[in-house]
Amino acid sequence: MSHIITCLTCGTTNRVPAERLGAHPKCGTCGAKLAEAKVHEVDSATLRKAERKDSLPLLVDFWAPWCGPCRAMAPEFEKAARALTPHARLAKLNTQVNGDAAQRYAIRGIPALILFQNGQEVARLTGARPAAEITAFVQQHSRNRA
């Protein structure tokens, strides 16, 4: 089995064998790590592509720099990224910079977490959460049980 993974740096779609996820696979175009234990900042275009194509679970934090709860949750989101790698990836989308995203994804309040997999929104969670709760949320809702 292999996974389709969009590079969150350059937007290229990559095919990665499931058994290679833990071996720090890199993008065939730009060389960026595809399953890295950190949160990536994405723009609307990259998110749309990853949302449609990726088979590996992608949890996106919709946030804004002026949002206190968003800033408070950032370290917890980073911890969750370390715990979930290589079985899921975590990204952040700044709704202030990417204003179209709030409408496209029907974001009513931030922070808002949306889990995508295989071209679908799988689940969503709102409000600032601790790392353990974020991790449990992804594990509960992802199809390959991160």
Side-chain angles (χ1 to χ4, degrees), residues 39-52 58-74 77 89-117 120-129 134 137:
V39 176
H40 291 269
E41 183 78 33
V42 296
D43 60 20
S44 292
T46 303
L47 174 56
R48 279 193 304 275
K49 188 171 185 180
E51 167 204 345
R52 286 191 320 268
L58 175 65
L59 181 65
V60 181
D61 173 16
F62 292 82
W63 74 289
W66 51 261
C67 170
C70 297
R71 290 193 318 272
M73 187 179 74
F77 202 63
R89 299 187 306 158
L90 277 67
K92 296 175 70 113
L93 185 130
N94 183 334
T95 58
Q96 185 172 325
V97 174
N98 299 277
D100 61 316
Q103 182 176 0
R104 177 178 175 83
Y105 297 102
I107 303 299
R108 304 283 183 250
I110 55 175
L113 305 176
I114 301 180
L115 181 63
F116 299 100
Q117 188 174 8
Q120 298 179 31
E121 176 181 326
V122 177
R124 66 173 57 202
L125 188 64
T126 56
R129 307 294 174 133
I134 295 167
F137 171 75

